[in-house]
Every structure is written in structure tokens, then in C-alpha cells.
Amino acid sequence: SHEINNPLQAVGNLIFLALTNPNLPETVAAQLQLAEQELSRVSHITRQTLGFYRESTSPTAVHIPAIVESVLTLYSNKLHVKQIQVQLAFEPCPPITGLAGEIQQLVSNIISNAIDALPANGTLKIDASPVKLAGGESIRLKIEDDGPGIEPENLKRIFEPFFTTKKDVGTGLGLWVCKEIAERHGGSVQAESKNANGAKGAIFTDLLPDS
């Protein structure tokens, strides 16, 4: 973790220096600020995944639709390049109490996987709504794509650490981290594959208690 964070810190310092340039165009500054946020998340993930770190900030009110929109902004270029259509359906959702950085990581991992799985001109559907369950009220976040779906044998292992179907690029940690974060917040994450009536794709459903 120390060896990984050293170069991350160096990159962070370079971004900081670039942001202090008085002649920096506003558009470039905005992009550098997003890069700085993502760099911070990389450092967080490194320590969290290795089990040496827990987010030290106190739980706050987290608005799930706002988190989704911020993640989509971060991935706007990838969505544009693949010409992916995004369909949002947000019902009025009360905030949940949680660690905003971790919730953003959960949402980011699932959306990133969906974008990678989608073909050009694919469709990404994201719904958020309040639901009443036996244990109380929760926010249900459903992220659905029309990609190739998940093979049944892989569906059983998809949340296992180090299991991946992405050759040469996947670490197999993203969905495992999602599961850990959801359960740490008293919630859950489930995956299913669409393969009825000719439909294909994957659906990830997160349930996060609102208190």
C-alpha cells in the first residue's frame, strides 16, 4: 500500500501545482479537479481493499440520486465515446445516513462495469426509489444494462474477491468491494442476468437503509 501511494501522492502534488497556475483555463481546471477527486478515491480504495483502512469521516446524509449524477459526470466521456443512452428514473428519495465516499465507490464500480459491458449505442437504465421492507425503509438503486449479461456459472461467484471475467484488465475486487460497502451500511447488493424473451443484460440492485 505504501509503495502504491507514493506515486499517487506525487501525481496529486503535480495536479495541485497545475491548479495554482493563474493562466489555467476554467475547463482544464474543472477537469483537473475531477482528476484530483478520482486520485483521492484510488488512494482510498488501495488502503480499504488491503484491509488497513476505514473511512475516518463521520456518517452524513447521502442523497443517492445526487451520487449517481456525480458518477455519471465522471464517466461522461466514456458514455459519449460509446454513444450509450442513459435513462434515469428517480423517485423522491430521502437521504440515507452513511459514508459518502464509500457509497460513491459502490455506485461507481457498478456503473463502470455496466459501461464496460455495454456495446456501442447500448442503454444504461438507473432507477432509484424508496421501498418499505420488514426491517424498515430503504432506498433501492437498480442499475440495468443491455449488454451480454452474466453467465450462470459466473453469477454464482461474481461477488467473490479476485474473481473476474475481464481478461488482462480486471482485478476482481470491484464487486467484492461493493458487497462489503453495502453490508457495512446495513444493506445488500444483488446481481441477476436478463435472458428471457430474447432480452440480454445484467441488473444490479442495491438496497441501502435510510437510517
Side-chain angles (χ1 to χ4, degrees):
S1 178
H2 176 73
E3 293 301 322
I4 293 171
N5 281 313
N6 276 347
L8 291 181
Q9 186 176 16
V11 175
N13 290 337
L14 291 171
I15 292 175
F16 173 79
L17 290 173
L19 285 170
T20 60
N21 185 339
N23 299 318
L24 190 68
E26 290 185 7
T27 53
V28 176
Q31 292 168 349
L32 285 172
Q33 287 168 354
L34 286 175
E36 192 173 41
Q37 292 174 19
E38 288 299 279
L39 195 65
S40 176
R41 263 196 326 125
V42 170
S43 179
H44 174 104
I45 296 164
T46 302
R47 291 173 291 179
Q48 182 189 54
T49 303
L50 292 174
F52 297 138
Y53 177 76
R54 278 196 153 198
E55 190 167 342
S56 58
T57 57
S58 300
T60 58
V62 180
H63 295 266
I64 299 300
I67 290 286
V68 171
E69 289 175 350
S70 70
V71 169
L72 290 174
T73 298
L74 292 173
Y75 290 124
S76 59
N77 187 57
K78 291 179 69 175
L79 292 166
H80 175 73
V81 168
K82 297 184 75 171
Q83 293 294 298
I84 293 171
Q85 180 183 4
V86 179
Q87 299 177 358
L88 302 177
F90 296 153
E91 295 182 21
C93 296
I96 69 166
T97 301
L99 302 174
E102 293 194 358
I103 298 299
Q104 183 175 19
Q105 187 61 47
L106 184 157
V107 175
S108 178
N109 285 358
I110 296 176
I111 289 179
S112 177
N113 280 354
I115 293 172
D116 289 342
L118 279 166
N121 301 305
T123 301
L124 178 63
K125 298 179 180 179
I126 306 177
D127 302 343
S129 60
V131 292
K132 290 186 178 181
L133 303 175
E137 294 188 352
S138 295
I139 302 301
R140 179 174 60 199
L141 177 65
K142 186 166 73 171
I143 300 171
E144 178 179 350
D145 67 68
D146 59 356
I150 308 168
E151 295 296 331
E153 62 270 21
N154 295 335
L155 198 58
K156 299 175 183 178
R157 303 185 57 197
I158 201 164
F159 293 108
E160 293 180 7
F162 303 108
F163 177 77
T164 180
T165 58
K166 298 180 182 180
K167 295 181 179 179
D168 302 324
V169 295
T171 63
L173 294 173
L175 291 177
W176 171 69
V177 168
C178 289
K179 181 175 180 291
E180 293 292 310
I181 291 172
E183 292 179 352
R184 186 180 301 176
H185 284 78
S188 64
V189 56
Q190 296 181 334
E192 57 184 300
S193 191
K194 298 183 295 182
N195 50 21
N197 302 320
K200 289 185 178 181
I203 302 173
F204 284 82
T205 303
D206 301 297
L207 288 173
L208 297 167
D210 64 5
S211 61

mmCIF file of all heavy atoms in Angstrom, residues 11 13 15 24-25 36-37 39-40 68 93 95 102 110-111 131 137 139 145 147 158 161 169 174 177 192 209:
data_model
loop_
_atom_site.group_PDB
_atom_site.id
_atom_site.type_symbol
_atom_site.label_atom_id
_atom_site.label_comp_id
_atom_site.label_asym_id
_atom_site.label_seq_id
_atom_site.Cartn_x
_atom_site.Cartn_y
_atom_site.Cartn_z
ATOM 1 N N VAL A 11 1.618 12.338 -8.098
ATOM 2 C CA VAL A 11 0.669 12.820 -9.105
ATOM 3 C C VAL A 11 -0.251 13.875 -8.501
ATOM 4 O O VAL A 11 -0.558 14.893 -9.127
ATOM 5 C CB VAL A 11 -0.153 11.646 -9.684
ATOM 6 C CG1 VAL A 11 -1.223 12.167 -10.638
ATOM 7 C CG2 VAL A 11 0.751 10.672 -10.412
ATOM 8 N N ASN A 13 0.450 15.939 -6.113
ATOM 9 C CA ASN A 13 1.219 17.186 -5.988
ATOM 10 C C ASN A 13 1.311 17.914 -7.327
ATOM 11 O O ASN A 13 1.215 19.154 -7.389
ATOM 12 C CB ASN A 13 2.624 16.897 -5.456
ATOM 13 C CG ASN A 13 2.615 16.473 -3.997
ATOM 14 O OD1 ASN A 13 1.675 16.787 -3.269
ATOM 15 N ND2 ASN A 13 3.629 15.754 -3.583
ATOM 16 N N ILE A 15 -0.853 17.743 -9.790
ATOM 17 C CA ILE A 15 -2.173 18.315 -10.076
ATOM 18 C C ILE A 15 -2.365 19.601 -9.282
ATOM 19 O O ILE A 15 -2.879 20.604 -9.795
ATOM 20 C CB ILE A 15 -3.289 17.300 -9.764
ATOM 21 C CG1 ILE A 15 -3.239 16.130 -10.753
ATOM 22 C CG2 ILE A 15 -4.670 17.966 -9.815
ATOM 23 C CD1 ILE A 15 -4.229 15.025 -10.451
ATOM 24 N N LEU A 24 -4.507 29.132 -16.027
ATOM 25 C CA LEU A 24 -5.177 27.866 -16.341
ATOM 26 C C LEU A 24 -6.607 28.124 -16.813
ATOM 27 O O LEU A 24 -7.381 28.776 -16.097
ATOM 28 C CB LEU A 24 -5.186 26.977 -15.100
ATOM 29 C CG LEU A 24 -5.642 25.528 -15.298
ATOM 30 C CD1 LEU A 24 -4.621 24.761 -16.146
ATOM 31 C CD2 LEU A 24 -5.807 24.849 -13.942
ATOM 32 N N PRO A 25 -6.988 27.629 -17.983
ATOM 33 C CA PRO A 25 -8.374 27.796 -18.444
ATOM 34 C C PRO A 25 -9.358 27.116 -17.483
ATOM 35 O O PRO A 25 -9.030 26.089 -16.869
ATOM 36 C CB PRO A 25 -8.380 27.105 -19.812
ATOM 37 C CG PRO A 25 -6.955 27.075 -20.234
ATOM 38 C CD PRO A 25 -6.152 26.940 -18.981
ATOM 39 N N GLU A 36 -8.317 15.060 -9.512
ATOM 40 C CA GLU A 36 -7.881 15.083 -8.117
ATOM 41 C C GLU A 36 -8.825 14.253 -7.247
ATOM 42 O O GLU A 36 -8.388 13.501 -6.366
ATOM 43 C CB GLU A 36 -7.828 16.526 -7.631
ATOM 44 C CG GLU A 36 -7.123 16.721 -6.297
ATOM 45 C CD GLU A 36 -6.957 18.191 -5.971
ATOM 46 O OE1 GLU A 36 -7.903 18.968 -6.222
ATOM 47 O OE2 GLU A 36 -5.891 18.563 -5.471
ATOM 48 N N GLN A 37 -10.124 14.378 -7.497
ATOM 49 C CA GLN A 37 -11.109 13.598 -6.744
ATOM 50 C C GLN A 37 -10.925 12.099 -6.990
ATOM 51 O O GLN A 37 -10.967 11.289 -6.066
ATOM 52 C CB GLN A 37 -12.523 14.008 -7.145
ATOM 53 C CG GLN A 37 -12.916 15.412 -6.715
ATOM 54 C CD GLN A 37 -14.270 15.812 -7.266
ATOM 55 O OE1 GLN A 37 -15.069 14.970 -7.668
ATOM 56 N NE2 GLN A 37 -14.530 17.109 -7.309
ATOM 57 N N LEU A 39 -8.206 10.596 -7.990
ATOM 58 C CA LEU A 39 -6.931 10.185 -7.406
ATOM 59 C C LEU A 39 -7.099 9.903 -5.918
ATOM 60 O O LEU A 39 -6.551 8.927 -5.383
ATOM 61 C CB LEU A 39 -5.894 11.279 -7.624
ATOM 62 C CG LEU A 39 -4.430 10.898 -7.397
ATOM 63 C CD1 LEU A 39 -3.998 9.854 -8.411
ATOM 64 C CD2 LEU A 39 -3.554 12.129 -7.516
ATOM 65 N N SER A 40 -7.874 10.744 -5.246
ATOM 66 C CA SER A 40 -8.149 10.536 -3.827
ATOM 67 C C SER A 40 -8.879 9.226 -3.617
ATOM 68 O O SER A 40 -8.619 8.487 -2.667
ATOM 69 C CB SER A 40 -8.962 11.714 -3.289
ATOM 70 O OG SER A 40 -9.329 11.494 -1.940
ATOM 71 N N VAL A 68 -25.419 9.302 -7.925
ATOM 72 C CA VAL A 68 -25.481 8.730 -9.277
ATOM 73 C C VAL A 68 -25.103 9.773 -10.316
ATOM 74 O O VAL A 68 -24.305 9.516 -11.232
ATOM 75 C CB VAL A 68 -26.890 8.174 -9.566
ATOM 76 C CG1 VAL A 68 -27.017 7.776 -11.045
ATOM 77 C CG2 VAL A 68 -27.184 6.974 -8.681
ATOM 78 N N CYS A 93 -36.408 10.572 -3.054
ATOM 79 C CA CYS A 93 -35.710 9.667 -2.145
ATOM 80 C C CYS A 93 -35.174 10.428 -0.935
ATOM 81 O O CYS A 93 -34.389 11.368 -1.108
ATOM 82 C CB CYS A 93 -34.533 8.978 -2.845
ATOM 83 S SG CYS A 93 -34.992 7.901 -4.209
ATOM 84 N N PRO A 95 -32.652 11.066 2.122
ATOM 85 C CA PRO A 95 -31.233 10.711 2.218
ATOM 86 C C PRO A 95 -31.026 9.526 3.151
ATOM 87 O O PRO A 95 -31.827 9.291 4.059
ATOM 88 C CB PRO A 95 -30.587 11.978 2.776
ATOM 89 C CG PRO A 95 -31.682 12.646 3.542
ATOM 90 C CD PRO A 95 -32.938 12.365 2.780
ATOM 91 N N GLU A 102 -17.709 6.020 0.403
ATOM 92 C CA GLU A 102 -17.912 4.592 0.166
ATOM 93 C C GLU A 102 -19.135 4.341 -0.716
ATOM 94 O O GLU A 102 -19.111 3.475 -1.598
ATOM 95 C CB GLU A 102 -18.041 3.854 1.500
ATOM 96 C CG GLU A 102 -16.754 3.845 2.303
ATOM 97 C CD GLU A 102 -16.782 2.843 3.449
ATOM 98 O OE1 GLU A 102 -17.826 2.189 3.638
ATOM 99 O OE2 GLU A 102 -15.760 2.723 4.144
ATOM 100 N N ILE A 110 -20.256 -0.275 -9.990
ATOM 101 C CA ILE A 110 -21.306 -0.951 -10.756
ATOM 102 C C ILE A 110 -21.543 -0.258 -12.087
ATOM 103 O O ILE A 110 -21.674 -0.910 -13.137
ATOM 104 C CB ILE A 110 -22.607 -1.030 -9.933
ATOM 105 C CG1 ILE A 110 -22.386 -1.898 -8.685
ATOM 106 C CG2 ILE A 110 -23.737 -1.617 -10.778
ATOM 107 C CD1 ILE A 110 -23.574 -1.962 -7.751
ATOM 108 N N ILE A 111 -21.593 1.071 -12.077
ATOM 109 C CA ILE A 111 -21.799 1.799 -13.329
ATOM 110 C C ILE A 111 -20.620 1.593 -14.284
ATOM 111 O O ILE A 111 -20.804 1.393 -15.491
ATOM 112 C CB ILE A 111 -22.023 3.299 -13.053
ATOM 113 C CG1 ILE A 111 -23.402 3.507 -12.413
ATOM 114 C CG2 ILE A 111 -21.902 4.112 -14.336
ATOM 115 C CD1 ILE A 111 -23.732 4.942 -12.074
ATOM 116 N N VAL A 131 -38.274 2.217 -0.688
ATOM 117 C CA VAL A 131 -39.070 0.988 -0.525
ATOM 118 C C VAL A 131 -39.199 0.671 0.965
ATOM 119 O O VAL A 131 -38.313 0.987 1.757
ATOM 120 C CB VAL A 131 -38.425 -0.215 -1.260
ATOM 121 C CG1 VAL A 131 -38.471 -0.025 -2.764
ATOM 122 C CG2 VAL A 131 -36.992 -0.437 -0.801
ATOM 123 N N GLU A 137 -37.431 1.262 6.222
ATOM 124 C CA GLU A 137 -37.378 1.850 4.889
ATOM 125 C C GLU A 137 -35.947 1.848 4.343
ATOM 126 O O GLU A 137 -34.991 2.025 5.080
ATOM 127 C CB GLU A 137 -37.924 3.273 4.921
ATOM 128 C CG GLU A 137 -39.413 3.334 5.249
ATOM 129 C CD GLU A 137 -39.977 4.731 5.098
ATOM 130 O OE1 GLU A 137 -39.169 5.666 4.893
ATOM 131 O OE2 GLU A 137 -41.208 4.879 5.190
ATOM 132 N N ILE A 139 -33.555 2.680 0.453
ATOM 133 C CA ILE A 139 -33.506 3.201 -0.904
ATOM 134 C C ILE A 139 -33.056 2.059 -1.805
ATOM 135 O O ILE A 139 -32.046 1.405 -1.536
ATOM 136 C CB ILE A 139 -32.533 4.389 -1.033
ATOM 137 C CG1 ILE A 139 -32.930 5.511 -0.090
ATOM 138 C CG2 ILE A 139 -32.500 4.883 -2.476
ATOM 139 C CD1 ILE A 139 -34.320 6.070 -0.307
ATOM 140 N N ASP A 145 -28.301 -2.817 -17.589
ATOM 141 C CA ASP A 145 -27.718 -2.604 -18.912
ATOM 142 C C ASP A 145 -28.253 -3.646 -19.880
ATOM 143 O O ASP A 145 -28.837 -4.651 -19.474
ATOM 144 C CB ASP A 145 -26.185 -2.661 -18.847
ATOM 145 C CG ASP A 145 -25.655 -4.046 -18.498
ATOM 146 O OD1 ASP A 145 -25.799 -4.974 -19.325
ATOM 147 O OD2 ASP A 145 -25.086 -4.213 -17.406
ATOM 148 N N GLY A 147 -26.255 -5.228 -22.106
ATOM 149 C CA GLY A 147 -25.053 -5.887 -22.611
ATOM 150 C C GLY A 147 -25.265 -7.383 -22.747
ATOM 151 O O GLY A 147 -26.396 -7.872 -22.796
ATOM 152 N N ILE A 158 -19.782 -13.933 -8.665
ATOM 153 C CA ILE A 158 -19.472 -12.578 -9.102
ATOM 154 C C ILE A 158 -19.029 -11.647 -7.975
ATOM 155 O O ILE A 158 -18.309 -10.688 -8.196
ATOM 156 C CB ILE A 158 -20.684 -11.986 -9.859
ATOM 157 C CG1 ILE A 158 -20.221 -10.843 -10.750
ATOM 158 C CG2 ILE A 158 -21.792 -11.575 -8.916
ATOM 159 C CD1 ILE A 158 -21.230 -10.444 -11.802
ATOM 160 N N PRO A 161 -13.961 -12.191 -3.974
ATOM 161 C CA PRO A 161 -12.752 -11.392 -4.233
ATOM 162 C C PRO A 161 -11.849 -12.071 -5.260
ATOM 163 O O PRO A 161 -11.707 -13.282 -5.260
ATOM 164 C CB PRO A 161 -12.074 -11.308 -2.858
ATOM 165 C CG PRO A 161 -12.619 -12.468 -2.085
ATOM 166 C CD PRO A 161 -14.014 -12.684 -2.588
ATOM 167 N N VAL A 169 -7.426 -6.903 -17.639
ATOM 168 C CA VAL A 169 -7.725 -5.571 -17.114
ATOM 169 C C VAL A 169 -8.444 -5.600 -15.766
ATOM 170 O O VAL A 169 -8.361 -4.649 -14.997
ATOM 171 C CB VAL A 169 -8.567 -4.748 -18.118
ATOM 172 C CG1 VAL A 169 -7.768 -4.488 -19.371
ATOM 173 C CG2 VAL A 169 -9.868 -5.466 -18.464
ATOM 174 N N GLY A 174 -13.696 -5.129 -7.606
ATOM 175 C CA GLY A 174 -14.721 -4.092 -7.647
ATOM 176 C C GLY A 174 -16.048 -4.495 -7.035
ATOM 177 O O GLY A 174 -16.581 -3.787 -6.165
ATOM 178 N N VAL A 177 -15.818 -5.289 -3.297
ATOM 179 C CA VAL A 177 -15.842 -4.058 -2.508
ATOM 180 C C VAL A 177 -17.273 -3.533 -2.401
ATOM 181 O O VAL A 177 -17.698 -3.082 -1.332
ATOM 182 C CB VAL A 177 -14.915 -2.997 -3.135
ATOM 183 C CG1 VAL A 177 -15.150 -1.627 -2.520
ATOM 184 C CG2 VAL A 177 -13.452 -3.396 -2.945
ATOM 185 N N GLU A 192 -28.378 -10.053 -11.175
ATOM 186 C CA GLU A 192 -29.138 -11.019 -11.960
ATOM 187 C C GLU A 192 -28.886 -10.770 -13.435
ATOM 188 O O GLU A 192 -28.476 -9.673 -13.831
ATOM 189 C CB GLU A 192 -30.635 -10.938 -11.650
ATOM 190 C CG GLU A 192 -31.253 -9.578 -11.872
ATOM 191 C CD GLU A 192 -32.708 -9.541 -11.450
ATOM 192 O OE1 GLU A 192 -33.498 -10.318 -12.008
ATOM 193 O OE2 GLU A 192 -33.051 -8.726 -10.578
ATOM 194 N N PRO A 209 -30.415 1.039 3.683
ATOM 195 C CA PRO A 209 -31.339 1.609 4.678
ATOM 196 C C PRO A 209 -31.175 3.118 4.780
ATOM 197 O O PRO A 209 -30.068 3.648 4.662
ATOM 198 C CB PRO A 209 -30.915 0.910 5.978
ATOM 199 C CG PRO A 209 -30.186 -0.316 5.552
ATOM 200 C CD PRO A 209 -29.518 0.043 4.269
#
